[in-house]
Amino acid sequence: MAEQLHGQPLLRVTGLRKAFGAVQATNNVNIDVRAGEIHALIGPNGAGKSTLISQICGEQMPDSGSIFLDGRDVTSSAAFARARLGLGRSFQITELCADFTALENVVLSVMLRKGRPFGCWGNPRHDEALVAEARTQLAHVGLSSREQVAVADLAHGEKRQLELAVALARRPRLLLLDEPMAGMGAEESASMTRLLRSMKGYYGILLVEHDMDAVFALADRISVLVYGRTIFTGTPDEVRRHPEVRAAYLGEDHALQPALAATTPGEVHAHT
């Protein structure tokens, strides 16, 4: 793990800018994600987090700057091309096939990865290899007992778990998780935190999240985005103590709490 964390980053974003009229949504953003780490991205509403994620995924093209996936320049690449290079993601609002079962949703994701045409969909039980792989991913996220339940009948937290299984079925190396705890209660958030902790070391993860307890429990590094700028990147303890971060986002009470989990030491980069 130590070698992975200090090697070439899976994701490297440099000088990224995106404006909508007079609004500078991302303003010279620099961020990277190393293999096996969880790098959290935090900031107040309107900071530009969703715009940054959209640019990394290829849904929006930046005005300037560069995006590298595993050393390859993908700044102008389409979203599907980035997915083929090992980029997976989840969304703020769950995007699943509501009329399909949990198992069918994951089977569909496996089919997409394999380039299987939709015309041969049929009953997923007819293809033992597809079903076996889908069941492995459902077990990974703790949904083995819910495989035959329609998405519409799953609890909110279960839908978020299923979305992770769908993403993992594409066999990504890098995951972009956009507020995976959104709308969850305390018990569901704790369950998702345990699940993401179990994934640490197997995937590079860029985590966008407002649940600060989860962020500080999970992240190896945290970048703080304010008004489209990354104002600071460091370990959780370093972020807690940084005066500009405390003033802009965390507040005194949260910043002075003890760290929730051990973190990996690393360089601190200030962007002022």
Side-chain angles (χ1 to χ4, degrees):
M1 171 66 73
E3 292 181 0
Q4 284 184 317
L5 291 179
H6 294 287
Q8 176 176 275
L10 286 176
L11 171 70
R12 182 163 60 90
V13 173
T14 60
L16 211 62
R17 296 179 184 270
K18 182 69 177 180
F20 299 97
V23 177
Q24 195 74 43
T26 51
N27 187 3
N28 195 34
V29 172
N30 298 279
I31 193 170
D32 66 83
V33 180
R34 302 163 187 165
E37 80 165 337
I38 296 180
H39 190 147
L41 179 67
I42 66 173
N45 290 330
K49 301 185 297 296
S50 293
T51 300
L52 175 58
I53 292 295
S54 294
Q55 290 173 87
I56 294 172
C57 290
E59 295 168 353
Q60 295 179 347
M61 293 295 113
D63 297 332
S64 61
S66 300
I67 302 169
F68 296 87
L69 285 177
D70 206 12
R72 299 186 186 185
D73 188 341
V74 297
T75 310
S76 301
S77 299
F80 71 86
R82 303 182 196 202
R84 287 175 179 171
L85 290 174
L87 179 63
R89 72 166 295 182
S90 70
F91 298 83
Q92 283 185 5
I93 300 173
T94 302
E95 296 194 0
L96 297 165
C97 299
D99 295 331
F100 287 4
T101 66
L103 180 65
E104 289 168 341
N105 269 269
V106 184
V107 166
L108 178 58
S109 186
V110 176
M111 290 176 65
L112 289 171
R113 190 196 78 234
K114 292 177 176 288
R116 293 274 294 272
F118 292 103
C120 68
W121 167 254
N123 188 329
R125 293 181 182 276
H126 293 167
D127 191 317
E128 294 182 0
L130 286 177
V131 171
E133 185 170 345
R135 282 178 169 155
T136 296
Q137 298 302 343
L138 287 173
H140 190 179
V141 302
L143 288 179
S144 291
S145 65
R146 306 289 280 169
E147 68 173 47
Q148 296 303 327
V149 178
V151 167
D153 296 325
L154 292 174
H156 176 71
E158 291 175 328
K159 291 176 183 177
R160 303 303 269 179
Q161 291 171 260
L162 178 57
E163 193 173 39
L164 264 183
V166 168
L168 295 176
R170 304 286 185 93
R171 295 187 181 174
R173 297 187 62 204
L174 173 68
L175 284 169
L176 306 183
L177 304 183
D178 198 354
E179 298 190 28
M181 280 79 162
M184 288 187 176
E187 187 174 334
E188 289 179 322
S189 291
S191 178
M192 179 61 73
T193 299
R194 289 192 294 270
L195 174 57
L196 294 181
R197 185 182 290 117
S198 74
M199 294 166 59
K200 185 182 290 194
Y202 297 95
Y203 309 90
I205 298 175
L206 180 60
L207 172 67
V208 178
E209 184 54 59
H210 284 291
D211 185 332
M212 289 299 97
D213 288 339
V215 166
F216 284 110
L218 289 168
D220 297 291
R221 291 185 296 154
I222 300 172
S223 288
V224 185
L225 197 68
V226 177
Y227 295 123
R229 295 187 305 117
T230 40
I231 64 170
F232 191 78
T233 295
T235 66
D237 281 344
E238 290 163 338
V239 168
R240 284 180 187 276
R241 297 189 179 101
H242 193 275
E244 189 175 356
V245 175
R246 287 159 62 174
Y249 187 54
L250 291 179
E252 293 295 326
D253 291 341
H254 201 294
L256 293 175
Q257 292 174 2
L260 294 176
T263 59
T264 302
E267 283 187 28
V268 179
H269 305 284
H271 303 282
T272 57

